[in-house]
Amino acid sequence: YPEASAQYDVVKNGVNTDLFCKELSEEERLNLRIRMGFSSDDFVIIFAGRLSAEKGILQLARAFVNLDVPGKKLLIAGGAFFTVKIKSPVQNELTEILAPCMKNVFFTGFVKYDEIWKYYKAADTAVLPSIWDEPALLTNIEAQLCGLPVISTLSGGIPEYANPDAAILLPVDSHLEENLTAKIAGLYE
């Protein structure tokens, strides 16, 4: 409202910084990785969020299948709808896409907010490629607070919440899957 003289402030969404800045000991990190079937040498990529098409999980799955790095593992933290255990059509498609490398994938199902930080800390990088006009992808903030490099997209408000020193933001276009594969491989290197 350029002609209005009203005073206003913009208050962005936030997360519990105390929670996501907690430390996980190396022993706790390794034990969590072992419980998921991962080793200390594996390269663990985390996707955290609702398992729905607009969150870009299918594009990530295709990129992961094509990723050629030793010890690649995909940690999928989330469910179709909070604690509901019904499998959605997106989850069925996800399972089909990941079939060639399912031994390298771990699904947590829904994770409580006060526990998710541990999964971020167990990972090596976060890939959160939302493909819709995401207002505020809080998982980007959470992952960055946990010290992870993030690969995300130039979608909606995501650029406003991503630290340019810690995040790679990709355009949502017909090359997204191949760009995800390349950028994940680059982080591995």
Side-chain angles (χ1 to χ4, degrees), residues 16-136:
N16 181 340
T17 56
D18 291 337
L19 181 65
F20 293 96
C21 290
K22 285 183 176 182
E23 291 299 320
L24 193 66
S25 73
E26 275 304 312
E27 182 181 353
E28 291 171 312
R29 183 176 192 262
L30 180 58
N31 286 337
L32 181 55
R33 287 172 78 117
I34 289 170
R35 282 198 314 265
M36 294 183 289
F38 305 157
S39 76
S40 61
D41 295 333
D42 286 335
F43 181 66
V44 179
I45 301 154
I46 186 172
F47 171 90
R50 197 167 25 90
L51 301 185
S52 60
E54 67 268 11
K55 295 293 186 177
I57 185 63
L58 299 175
Q59 288 79 1
L60 171 56
R62 289 185 196 99
F64 182 76
V65 168
N66 292 319
L67 182 64
D68 185 23
V69 299
K72 71 176 183 178
K73 303 292 184 202
L74 180 59
L75 169 56
I76 300 175
F81 189 73
F82 300 102
T83 59
V84 176
K85 295 186 186 213
I86 297 170
K87 207 167 182 190
S88 72
V90 170
Q91 286 173 286
N92 292 330
E93 187 175 353
L94 185 59
T95 302
E96 190 176 302
I97 293 166
L98 291 168
C101 54
M102 193 56 86
K103 69 181 185 319
N104 295 343
V105 180
F106 184 82
F107 290 87
T108 66
F110 175 77
V111 177
K112 291 181 181 178
Y113 185 74
D114 62 349
E115 294 291 315
I116 190 68
W117 69 274
K118 295 174 185 175
Y119 292 93
Y120 286 120
K121 296 282 185 169
D124 297 300
T125 189
V127 181
L128 308 159
S130 194
I131 60 172
W132 72 294
D133 282 333
E134 184 81 54

